[in-house]
Amino acid sequence: MIFETLDTYGHEQVVFCHNKDAGLKAIIAIHNTVLGPALGGTRMWPYQSEAEALNDVLRLSRGMTYKNAVAGLNIGGGKAVIIGDPAKDKSEALFRAFGQFVESLGGRYITAEDVGIDVNDMEYVYRETEYVTGVHQVHGGSGDPSPFTAYGALQGLLATLNRKFGDEDVGKYSYAVQGLGHVGMEYVKLLKERGAKIFVTDINKSLVDKAVSDYGVEAVGLDEIYDVPVDVYSPCALGGTVNEQTLPRLKCKVICGAANNQLANNEIGDEVVRRGILYAPDYAVNAGGVMNVALELDGYNRERAMRMMRTIYHNLSRIYEISDRDGIPTYKAADRLAEERIEKIGKLKLPLGRGRTRFQGRVRGS
């Protein structure tokens, strides 16, 4: 049924990667390369089955196509997953074997960090292939993309506050932030700098304690976060947290956060509209990280990256305009914006060399 599934999702290529000696079992999914080479991170996770891993990589890679298109990038969408426990299964051999598979695709897929992967792991991948982003600054890369993801999410929040309330005064409003990883903690910092009232939760108690100590936020239980009366619910951890069980409990007027796949399904997205809640489409809000690493293709510049993050405000504003224009929920408007761009660019007769990977200013070596 794999080809039938690919027809449904619209993928161009799926590669199964196996190296017994290195213990590598991985899947690379290239969804769409109309705008350029497919770029998306590699996730390492102890999937319960190969079918679960395949479903995850197909879903995530399709999401990257839409994220990159809405972000205005000249790159397509792809993703990779490595089946394994990042706490105990990592090794140099495993990541170098994976790097060889990435190299074999000749630039059709460019990888980066994702869940379970850090910049040190990418160092090993980078020894085998240049088709890596998010490499350490010593190589001319951009390093950890988390601060840029958080800053981009702030730009999306500003556009959303303006849409819902008619102003951009972050400090006037209250926030329930779910998840305090690298992105979530930085997002909390940015909110606090602007005087916001913030409630937080995370499965890791030490991170909650740090947020309380460093930023003066109020901690609530993992399940209680849905019941807090706030203006904005900001999911910054796992996906699917806006679902049949949680949506009736939410007391917010806005949903805007950095997590992927926040809505459990399209029906929930429709119900969000009926309840008068403004949803900021997740992949438009959290595009700052991929914007940042994509700049490595032409030679990384931090000032240029920060300027690019601010375009997220414009992207969200455009999505809200399409929502009004076509009378559709914002999650559908985001998809429409992406699809319109892909269709229009796909019809252009562009010169040879479109999408060529350059990586100017990069240094490889041990």
Side-chain angles (χ1 to χ4, degrees):
M1 303 293 288
I2 289 180
F3 283 106
E4 185 175 319
T5 301
L6 297 187
D7 283 343
T8 300
Y9 280 97
H11 284 75
E12 295 177 6
Q13 185 176 8
V14 178
V15 181
F16 291 82
C17 314
H18 179 245
N19 187 305
K20 182 178 180 180
D21 293 332
L24 176 70
K25 293 181 179 179
I27 308 171
I28 299 172
I30 297 174
H31 179 256
N32 187 290
T33 59
V34 169
L35 298 178
L39 189 152
T42 296
R43 175 171 298 192
M44 188 172 187
W45 194 255
Y47 294 100
Q48 295 302 305
S49 67
E50 294 168 7
E52 182 185 356
L54 177 61
N55 182 68
D56 201 30
V57 77
L58 294 179
R59 176 178 56 86
L60 291 168
S61 55
R62 181 180 183 275
M64 288 305 302
T65 292
Y66 283 76
K67 176 185 291 191
N68 295 339
V70 166
L73 300 173
N74 293 321
I75 51 177
K79 206 80 172 185
V81 296
I82 297 175
I83 302 173
D85 187 342
K88 60 183 181 181
D89 294 332
K90 290 184 177 182
S91 70
E92 176 183 354
L94 181 141
F95 288 111
R96 293 186 70 165
F98 176 71
Q100 290 177 357
F101 280 103
V102 173
E103 175 68 16
S104 73
L105 293 171
R108 278 179 53 77
Y109 170 66
I110 303 168
T111 194
E113 298 99 325
D114 202 327
V115 175
I117 304 290
D118 59 35
V119 68
N120 298 311
D121 304 321
M122 285 293 114
E123 289 283 313
Y124 293 130
V125 178
Y126 191 46
R127 292 186 185 184
E128 300 297 330
T129 181
E130 68 173 329
Y131 303 118
V132 181
T133 57
V135 299
H136 197 278
Q137 290 93 331
V138 299
H139 300 297
S142 59
D144 182 8
S146 299
F148 298 92
T149 304
Y151 184 71
L154 177 66
Q155 304 308 305
L157 174 66
L158 292 173
T160 306
L161 292 178
N162 190 40
R163 166 73 174 190
K164 185 67 175 179
F165 303 115
D167 64 69
E168 302 172 10
D169 189 350
V170 173
K172 283 176 55 177
Y173 305 103
S174 55
Y175 305 81
V177 180
Q178 181 189 52
L180 294 169
H182 293 302
V183 175
M185 190 70 80
E186 184 69 20
Y187 181 68
V188 166
K189 175 186 174 184
L190 294 173
L191 295 179
K192 195 62 180 180
E193 288 174 350
R194 289 154 179 80
K197 172 66 175 176
I198 310 168
F199 300 85
V200 304
T201 194
D202 193 281
I203 194 170
N204 187 329
K205 186 178 182 301
S206 65
L207 292 177
V208 174
D209 292 342
K210 175 178 171 56
V212 171
S213 173
D214 291 357
Y215 305 117
V217 301
E218 184 173 332
V220 299
L222 287 171
D223 191 56
E224 296 169 11
I225 196 71
Y226 305 109
D227 301 312
V228 181
V230 292
D231 298 300
V232 181
Y233 168 58
S234 293
C236 294
L238 297 176
T241 62
V242 183
N243 53 51
E244 289 85 352
Q245 289 73 44
T246 62
L247 180 56
R249 297 166 59 184
L250 292 177
K251 300 173 176 62
C252 61
K253 302 177 182 67
V254 166
I255 297 173
C256 180
N260 286 312
N261 304 307
Q262 295 167 20
L263 304 178
N265 51 55
N266 290 346
E267 289 72 25
I268 288 295
D270 296 336
E271 181 62 24
V272 165
V273 176
R274 285 191 286 270
R275 290 174 179 266
I277 300 172
L278 177 59
Y279 169 63
D282 44 33
Y283 63 75
V285 172
N286 65 23
V290 72
M291 284 179 166
N292 185 58
V293 299
L295 287 177
E296 293 181 29
L297 275 66
D298 293 316
Y300 184 71
N301 179 283
R302 190 179 190 279
E303 182 178 349
R304 185 181 172 207
M306 297 303 292
R307 183 177 181 275
M308 184 177 281
M309 300 306 110
R310 291 189 282 275
T311 65
I312 291 177
Y313 185 106
H314 167 77
N315 295 339
L316 266 295
S317 299
R318 180 67 181 129
I319 287 168
Y320 298 141
E321 290 172 2
I322 293 173
S323 177
D324 281 346
R325 180 194 75 188
D326 298 347
I328 55 177
T330 56
Y331 77 89
K332 289 184 178 178
D335 286 356
R336 190 157 296 178
L337 177 60
E339 290 162 358
E340 286 177 357
R341 180 168 182 249
I342 292 170
E343 181 182 9
K344 289 176 181 177
I345 299 301
K347 291 179 179 178
L348 294 179
K349 300 297 184 181
L350 296 174
L352 293 177
R354 174 176 63 89
R356 177 175 294 176
T357 308
R358 293 174 291 273
F359 293 112
Q360 296 179 9
R362 290 265 290 263
V363 178
R364 292 182 67 206
S366 59

